[in-house]
Amino acid sequence: MEGYDDVFLLEKHLVEPLLGSCDVAAVRTYDGNNRPVFYDECIASLFSPKSIAVVGATDRPGIGRITLANIKGAGTKAAVWGINPGRKVVLGQPCFPSVKDCPSVPDLVVIVTPAPTVPAIVQQCVDIRVKAIIVISSGFKEVGPAGKLLEDQISASLHSTRYTRLVGPNCLGIHCSYTNLNTTFGSSECTPGNCAVASQSGAVICTILDWALQNGIGFSSMVSVGSMLDVTWAELLLYFGNDPNTKFIVIYMESIGNAEAFMAAAQQVTLRKPVIVLKAGRTDEAAKAAMSHTGTLAGSDHILDVAFKRVGVIRVDSITEIYSNIMMFSFSPIPRGPNVAVVTHAGGPGVISTDTIAQCGGKLATIPKSVIDSLNPLLPKNWSMTNPLDLSGGASPECYQYVLDALSQLEDVHSVMAIVAPLSGICPGTPVAQYLKQFKDRCPDKTLVVGMLGGDELLCARKALIRNHIAAFNVTDITARTITAAWNYRKTVMDLHQPPKALPRLHDHWKATSTVNELLSTVQATGRTILTEAESKTVLEAYGIPITKTIPTRSVEEALSAANSIGYPVVLKLLSETITHKSDVGGVLLNIDSDEAVRLGFETIKMNLQKCHPDTWQTHFLGVTVQPMINASESLELLLGSHTDAQLGPVVVFGTGGKLVEVFKDTAVGLPPLDATLVEMMMKQTKIFKALGGVRGSKPVDLDKLMAIIISFGDMISNHPLIKECDINPLLASSQRITAVDGRIVLWPQSTSIQSIPKAVIKPYAYEFVRDITMTNGAQITVRMLRVDDCAAWQAWGKLATEDTAYTSLAMESTKAQRFNFARTTRILFSCMDSFGIVALDTPGHILAGIRIIKYSHAQCVCSPVFSMEQIGTELFKHILQHTCHVASHYTRCSEISAVVPLTRHNAPWAHGAAMAAAFEAFGFKADPKSTSELRILHFPLSP
């Protein structure tokens, strides 16, 4: 993707980390010939094995025969063996009694035997360290408890090793066109292309493949994942993200599995390559069907939409959209901007396209008057002379040529959508297709999609376009929707990776968490799950969220004292540990302006409760709270709340508040932790957002303060998983103040174990790894993990850093400017659950040094220093490295940390690298025998 590909350029002898994945991420070290020295061989063996064994191979009709025949027929260079105790040769391939009897340990084992036999076969593979297994057999958790027991046995075998990975069970197999691998039992071969497909349904893969063959579209790989017992979406995303043959990725998903791992991987991969997901199970009925298919319960569909957008994933709703996106991304560049020129001789389809483009986030390009004037003599007199460029029904094919020639000169036209209706007597499609091909050849950087509408009349023209790698469809709205979806992908990724605006923090983490944890524990110990309004506001206040003063009172006398201390007018509200929606039971009285009104109000609330709960009112009534009456005439009523999704954990809800919140339903959802960029994107999805800027003479709300409140609220629900639900309604917002007038918090029951509570799918910041250090010269240094809001400090440090300092950052970027581009690298480190940065800061908050840590296996992580030994000295280096090892041990659970230090630069010895390597060795790192004169690899054991 333009503007982002440079982030991932490699220097030949540096380490390339693929960040993310809960268990495995690939790290490749490149030697002088740019060949990978080491990487994740297990995942790689699924796609490029050197030897393959098929358990259940047979020459009798059935899946075993088809699978072996497909492997043999695809032309793989791998050694192929059959496993069948009753055969010595199957389909011309040598056959052995078991995987242990093969001439050497197979890289890949494909199992097609009945389900009850599979656990023992997997255990044999684990015993001899087979790298990869594909289980095609069905009959596991999708059939019930007996099948689930078989899966548990397989899982136990896999968990005992880190040397064997498994795809399946209940899957179709894997295609990899660039290694001539076909382990499926399907009837079609995929041709080479730039799209990778992963699917929980083998039938969906077969359907996509059959459609693609008709349209001359190829694939880099196609993976049927089945029940996903072991290898995850995240690991496949990371593999395809690093695959040079893959330009974009398509997923058919019935369950997201490890959502945290998926989110971390997707955020990294979408920065470089589009990821398109068709997630089934939007309706309750479909979710039940998906569960019976894969044995996995689906999560909340709306929240999943939000999660996908948070990490830049394109979500589609149908197989038809899968087809259109595959064609679009296979044949066309991603639009550089939103501006689309629509060229057509059919007015109606042009109007439909205009509507669709606008509704989906694109916009029509403005065509300069000079261009319009130049076209007037060439086109019919009644043409539109504006975009959409309606050439009129009498236009000839040459009219398309004239317009396309003009558009090719306009930089501000990012995409062109050509529409041709079946009017062959006047404007045949074939010559138009020729002009469109010429336009594509002349303007390869412009995105071109074509609607050759209808059925057979324009079929030949449509096929001709597709043969020339031009995306062509027969329906107008699909054509428009596809081109805007591609632009939206680019825009979303760019927005997500903008450095967030620096906002003041409203709370001290340790003070807030201590106060709130103590209160929540006290409440939960009583068996309660509902906090009173006063308790809820105490929680909010701890996180710096402005609240109205709230005084709980248990008698009329206490209420009078509280009202007089606050000053009239006041508000009286029901005080209850069981009722949260107080207005529903007549428990809210406004504009109480005298002592007599307080007395009457106290009794009125009690009587209203008696009417609603005549038998149990005494258990609900504890008294009233007294609060100041706020003039809300110039305030907007907002909603700020949270609830917990079963799969994705706590979510933040923002929108229009007040009594009619459920009527207006004007809300947007975000996944915490949040920052200013994410909050602004969330707020802009609501209708109330425009009002926040001031309407009809009203002054605007302080958006920075509102965003800081929402960020702090997100921190609160991330830090305290005991909070099941929280509502601030209304949150009054005006130009003078933003105040939480009411608050409601619901906890998980005491009987709910903390382990079973869904956690935030994106990890909150790890404050437990902040360490303050006093240097021998008295300087105060803080060593901690990198935060997203370190943007300004990171960029300022980058301006001061030398090229030598940048060069030690053994990672993705090829220039100093790229290494210190916070938006492209540092935000990713923050989001990845197995990758992070450590920084050392002085008292003013200036960054002095940094280290990046990437986990790439169960046992090992790699640290990548970004500093100069001459600048920081050995004392600070020791402190940073000590803290890095401490964090790596706890955060990654690895047993070893490694460092890879270049010793040469520009083909000459490099003193800076030698000093760095010596400092690691002085700390206790041991050199690896694989080290060379150009590259020092060092290892250090981590404490458990």
Side-chain angles (χ1 to χ4, degrees):
M1 191 169 116
E2 284 185 58
Y4 289 91
D5 288 338
D6 56 345
V7 182
F8 296 89
L9 295 173
L10 299 176
E11 294 186 44
K12 290 183 178 179
H13 59 285
L14 298 187
V15 172
E16 173 204 11
L18 271 180
L19 316 179
S21 168
C22 63
D23 291 319
V24 177
V27 178
R28 297 182 180 179
T29 300
Y30 286 81
D31 62 17
N33 296 315
N34 203 30
R35 295 173 303 198
V37 176
F38 65 93
Y39 60 102
D40 181 5
E41 293 183 310
C42 296
I43 301 297
S45 293
L46 289 165
F47 300 92
S48 56
K50 295 177 181 177
S51 54
I52 307 169
V54 181
V55 183
T58 179
D59 45 19
R60 292 180 299 181
I63 292 178
R65 177 189 175 93
I66 296 172
T67 302
L68 181 60
N70 282 347
I71 293 172
K72 181 181 176 182
T76 178
K77 294 180 180 179
V80 180
W81 306 311
I83 305 297
N84 188 326
R87 301 282 192 277
K88 290 187 176 181
V89 176
V90 175
L91 301 182
Q93 302 300 125
C95 196
F96 302 95
S98 73
V99 291
K100 293 182 178 181
D101 299 311
C102 291
S104 61
V105 176
D107 280 352
L108 173 64
V109 170
V110 183
I111 302 176
V112 292
T113 58
T117 68
V118 173
I121 298 169
V122 170
Q123 184 59 56
Q124 286 182 16
C125 294
V126 168
D127 291 342
I128 62 174
R129 293 191 177 183
V130 168
K131 294 171 185 174
I133 302 171
I134 299 173
V135 179
I136 291 176
S137 315
S138 61
F140 294 89
K141 68 181 177 182
E142 74 274 8
V143 302
K148 178 63 168 60
L149 181 60
L150 295 174
E151 283 200 7
D152 291 343
Q153 294 172 16
I154 296 172
S155 294
S157 296
L158 294 172
H159 290 163
S160 68
T161 180
R162 64 173 184 266
Y163 300 105
T164 304
R165 305 306 305 277
L166 181 146
V167 165
N170 189 23
C171 73
L172 178 70
I174 293 178
H175 273 284
C176 185
S177 58
Y178 290 94
T179 59
N180 297 322
L181 179 72
N182 180 3
T183 66
T184 74
F185 57 92
S187 57
S188 301
E189 286 279 352
C190 70
T191 57
N194 53 28
C195 172
V197 178
S199 171
Q200 276 186 286
S201 165
V204 167
I205 281 189
C206 292
T207 302
I208 292 173
L209 182 56
D210 186 56
W211 165 85
L213 289 172
Q214 288 185 346
N215 290 280
I217 295 174
F219 299 91
S220 57
S221 297
M222 302 188 86
V223 183
S224 168
V225 299
S227 299
M228 297 195 78
L229 182 62
D230 181 38
V231 172
T232 64
W233 293 122
E235 291 166 316
L236 292 173
L237 275 176
L238 292 168
Y239 178 83
F240 293 141
N242 195 44
D243 177 17
N245 296 312
T246 297
K247 177 183 172 184
F248 65 102
I249 302 158
V250 171
I251 292 175
Y252 170 74
M253 175 187 293
E254 293 178 359
S255 61
I256 194 171
N258 186 330
E260 187 177 4
F262 177 85
M263 294 284 285
Q267 176 141 345
Q268 301 153 52
V269 175
T270 57
L271 185 63
R272 295 174 282 169
K273 302 177 181 183
V275 176
I276 302 141
V277 175
L278 172 57
K279 169 64 172 66
R282 280 191 179 272
T283 64
D284 291 341
E285 291 79 4
K288 291 176 182 176
M291 182 178 179
S292 66
H293 185 205
T294 65
T296 306
L297 186 63
S300 168
D301 192 72
H302 173 61
I303 305 302
L304 194 60
D305 267 342
V306 175
F308 283 163
K309 188 170 184 179
R310 169 74 181 264
V311 293
V313 167
I314 302 168
R315 185 172 187 182
V316 297
D317 295 323
S318 66
I319 288 289
T320 301
E321 286 185 84
I322 286 284
Y323 294 162
S324 61
N325 276 276
I326 288 176
M327 185 175 288
M328 163 72 199
F329 286 109
S330 292
F331 293 163
S332 304
I334 299 169
R336 294 177 291 106
N339 300 334
V340 183
V342 179
V343 187
T344 182
H345 66 161
V351 174
I352 294 171
S353 299
T354 301
D355 276 345
T356 305
I357 289 169
Q359 291 167 0
C360 294
K363 66 178 185 179
L364 293 184
T366 300
I367 309 301
K369 184 178 182 301
S370 59
V371 174
I372 299 295
D373 291 343
S374 69
L375 289 172
N376 278 331
L378 305 173
L379 301 178
K381 292 182 179 180
N382 58 339
W383 82 287
S384 65
M385 292 188 286
T386 188
N387 193 10
L389 301 163
D390 182 0
L391 311 180
S392 81
S396 66
E398 287 70 30
C399 293
Y400 279 89
Q401 181 186 21
Y402 302 145
V403 173
L404 292 170
D405 286 345
L407 295 177
S408 68
Q409 305 301 316
L410 300 179
E411 286 293 325
D412 288 339
V413 173
H414 306 121
S415 305
V416 174
M417 176 178 170
I419 303 172
V420 183
L423 297 169
S424 296
I426 301 173
C427 186
T430 299
V432 175
Q434 293 172 349
Y435 294 135
L436 288 167
K437 180 184 182 302
Q438 293 170 7
F439 174 83
K440 182 186 178 182
D441 293 341
R442 197 163 57 244
C443 304
D445 60 327
K446 290 188 188 294
T447 306
L448 173 64
V449 295
V450 182
M452 286 281 179
L453 308 184
D456 290 343
E457 188 169 329
L458 293 175
L459 180 61
C460 290
R462 194 161 53 244
K463 287 184 175 181
L465 288 168
I466 292 172
R467 281 196 304 271
N468 286 294
H469 290 184
I470 296 173
F473 310 98
N474 63 349
V475 181
T476 302
D477 57 342
I478 290 179
T479 310
R481 199 177 303 277
T482 302
I483 201 169
T484 49
W487 158 246
N488 286 334
Y489 158 72
R490 180 184 285 276
K491 182 178 185 301
T492 298
V493 170
M494 290 191 297
D495 288 346
L496 286 171
H497 291 85
Q498 288 300 313
K501 185 176 184 179
L503 296 174
R505 296 181 65 81
L506 301 184
H507 65 279
D508 174 86
H509 172 80
W510 294 113
K511 184 177 180 181
T513 53
S514 175
T515 300
V516 173
N517 283 336
E518 183 177 355
L519 175 58
L520 299 186
S521 297
T522 300
V523 171
Q524 198 179 51
T526 66
R528 287 195 285 137
T529 58
I530 297 176
L531 274 65
T532 66
E533 181 183 352
E535 291 168 334
S536 297
K537 286 183 174 178
T538 298
V539 173
L540 299 176
E541 189 176 30
Y543 276 84
I545 299 171
I547 62 168
T548 54
K549 186 176 182 180
T550 302
I551 303 177
T553 66
R554 306 262 176 172
S555 66
V556 173
E557 290 72 21
E558 289 182 7
L560 285 169
S561 176
N564 281 280
S565 69
I566 291 173
Y568 292 110
V570 297
V571 176
L572 300 185
K573 295 183 182 179
L574 171 66
L575 176 62
S576 174
E577 294 177 346
T578 54
I579 294 176
T580 58
H581 297 293
K582 297 175 283 293
S583 58
D584 292 350
V585 295
V588 179
L589 300 178
L590 308 177
N591 283 312
I592 304 298
D593 56 3
S594 66
D595 287 3
E596 185 59 31
V598 170
R599 293 188 183 93
L600 179 60
F602 193 98
E603 295 302 322
T604 299
I605 289 176
K606 184 190 298 184
M607 288 188 293
N608 288 343
L609 186 61
Q610 288 175 337
K611 292 177 183 178
C612 295
H613 299 278
D615 299 325
T616 59
W617 71 272
Q618 289 177 313
T619 62
H620 300 304
F621 183 80
L622 300 178
V624 301
T625 61
V626 183
Q627 306 173 29
M629 180 68 201
I630 295 179
N631 182 3
S633 60
E634 296 184 0
S635 298
L636 296 171
E637 290 188 321
L638 305 177
L639 167 71
L640 181 58
S642 73
H643 66 271
T644 305
D645 181 75
Q647 201 163 42
L648 298 171
V651 298
V652 175
V653 182
F654 169 83
T656 302
K659 291 183 179 180
L660 299 180
V661 61
E662 294 179 359
V663 175
F664 291 125
K665 295 182 178 179
D666 175 34
T667 58
V669 176
L671 297 176
L674 298 165
D675 58 43
T677 298
L678 297 170
V679 169
E680 185 175 8
M681 291 174 66
M682 179 174 69
M683 294 188 342
K684 285 181 177 179
Q685 297 174 44
T686 63
K687 296 177 182 177
I688 197 73
F689 179 75
K690 290 184 178 180
L692 295 174
V695 291
R696 294 189 175 182
S698 63
K699 295 181 179 179
V701 172
D702 186 343
L703 287 181
D704 283 356
K705 184 175 181 180
L706 179 57
M707 287 193 292
I709 288 171
I710 296 172
I711 291 169
S712 198
F713 182 86
D715 290 344
M716 180 189 78
I717 64 170
S718 291
N719 294 337
H720 303 284
L722 284 181
I723 297 176
K724 183 179 182 182
E725 300 174 21
C726 180
D727 284 331
I728 303 175
N729 185 22
L731 177 69
L732 293 183
S734 68
S735 59
Q736 288 80 34
R737 67 169 68 91
I738 302 176
T739 307
V741 175
D742 201 357
R744 168 182 172 268
I745 292 179
V746 178
L747 305 181
W748 289 93
Q750 191 175 17
S751 59
T752 305
S753 68
I754 193 71
Q755 291 78 15
S756 65
I757 296 174
K759 306 300 188 298
V761 72
I762 299 172
K763 280 190 177 182
Y765 183 74
Y767 283 93
E768 62 269 28
F769 295 127
V770 177
R771 181 183 175 193
D772 294 320
I773 298 168
T774 301
M775 304 288 286
T776 53
N777 62 1
Q780 297 296 313
I781 303 294
T782 298
V783 183
R784 59 168 172 79
M785 296 177 71
L786 195 65
R787 294 198 305 248
V788 172
D789 56 6
D790 286 326
C791 175
W794 179 268
Q795 290 177 330
W797 178 44
K799 292 178 181 179
L800 299 175
T802 65
E803 286 287 351
D804 279 352
T805 299
Y807 193 72
T808 62
S809 173
L810 308 181
M812 296 171 289
E813 306 82 357
S814 61
T815 70
K816 172 189 165 185
Q818 291 162 356
R819 291 192 177 101
F820 287 96
N821 187 317
F822 182 91
R824 295 178 180 177
T825 57
T826 312
R827 178 188 273 278
I828 296 178
L829 288 175
F830 176 78
S831 70
C832 296
M833 59 185 163
D834 287 317
S835 307
F836 52 92
I838 297 289
V839 289
L841 304 94
D842 60 15
T843 302
H846 302 128
I847 293 178
L848 304 175
I851 289 185
R852 301 201 290 190
I853 297 92
I854 302 99
K855 179 177 179 179
Y856 82 92
S857 76
H858 293 282
Q860 194 171 28
C861 56
V862 173
C863 66
S864 172
V866 193
F867 52 75
S868 164
M869 289 300 301
E870 295 176 0
Q871 291 174 336
I872 71 168
T874 56
E875 183 184 6
L876 182 55
F877 174 84
K878 181 178 179 181
H879 283 302
I880 294 173
L881 208 51
Q882 281 179 339
H883 194 61
T884 297
C885 292
H886 171 71
V887 176
S889 175
H890 289 79
Y891 204 66
T892 69
R893 304 295 181 185
C894 288
S895 58
E896 184 179 72
I897 186 168
S898 301
V900 186
V901 181
L903 302 179
T904 62
R905 187 176 181 195
H906 304 312
N907 298 318
W910 188 39
H912 181 88
M916 181 73 70
F920 274 106
E921 290 178 339
F923 184 86
F925 277 67
K926 302 297 182 184
D928 191 295
K930 296 178 183 177
S931 299
T932 68
S933 59
E934 293 182 343
L935 195 69
R936 185 73 53 83
I937 304 173
L938 306 111
H939 306 292
F940 185 80
L942 295 175
S943 301

